[in-house]
Amino acid sequence: MNKLEQARIKIDDIDCQMAELFKLRMQTVQDVLSYKKDNHLPVLDTKRESSMIERNVSRFDSKELELYYVQFLKSILEISRKFQEDHYE
């Protein structure tokens, strides 16, 4: 097996783990949405999103990848927000 094949196997394994974490995260987003609905709170909480990005970036140890990590976090937040908007009845 060459290095490319090994890397692809590793990526497939990481993607599998990320899929499980995504499902867990979205289940938790459902809990957040339930609370927001019960308490008549808006979906968007810009202060929370900003602090989440700041907190997670502070844990990140690669300046080279930091910009991409911020984009990754923002896309997660966008997906979570879209899910909440679609299910806020």
Side-chain angles (χ1 to χ4, degrees), residues 30-43:
Q30 286 181 310
D31 295 339
V32 168
L33 177 59
S34 178
Y35 182 88
K36 286 179 179 180
K37 286 166 68 173
D38 291 347
N39 292 279
H40 309 287
L41 298 172
V43 168

Side-chain angles (χ1 to χ4, degrees), residues 2-65:
N2 64 39
K3 284 187 177 187
L4 177 59
E5 291 168 329
Q6 291 173 344
R8 286 180 173 166
I9 288 170
K10 193 172 183 179
I11 286 172
D12 289 346
D13 182 52
I14 292 166
D15 287 345
C16 183
Q17 293 174 54
M18 288 176 62
E20 290 303 313
L21 289 171
F22 178 78
K23 287 189 277 186
L24 181 59
R25 190 180 200 288
M26 294 307 289
Q27 289 166 355
T28 306
V29 167
Q30 286 181 310
D31 295 339
V32 168
L33 177 59
S34 178
Y35 182 88
K36 286 179 179 180
K37 286 166 68 173
D38 291 347
N39 292 279
H40 309 287
L41 298 172
V43 168
L44 179 59
D45 183 345
T46 55
K47 287 176 77 173
R48 165 68 182 158
E49 288 190 6
S50 295
S51 67
M52 180 271 224
I53 290 170
E54 188 176 314
R55 183 179 57 256
N56 283 298
V57 168
S58 73
R59 296 179 188 142
F60 203 68
D61 62 358
S62 173
K63 287 293 181 189
E64 180 184 9
L65 297 177

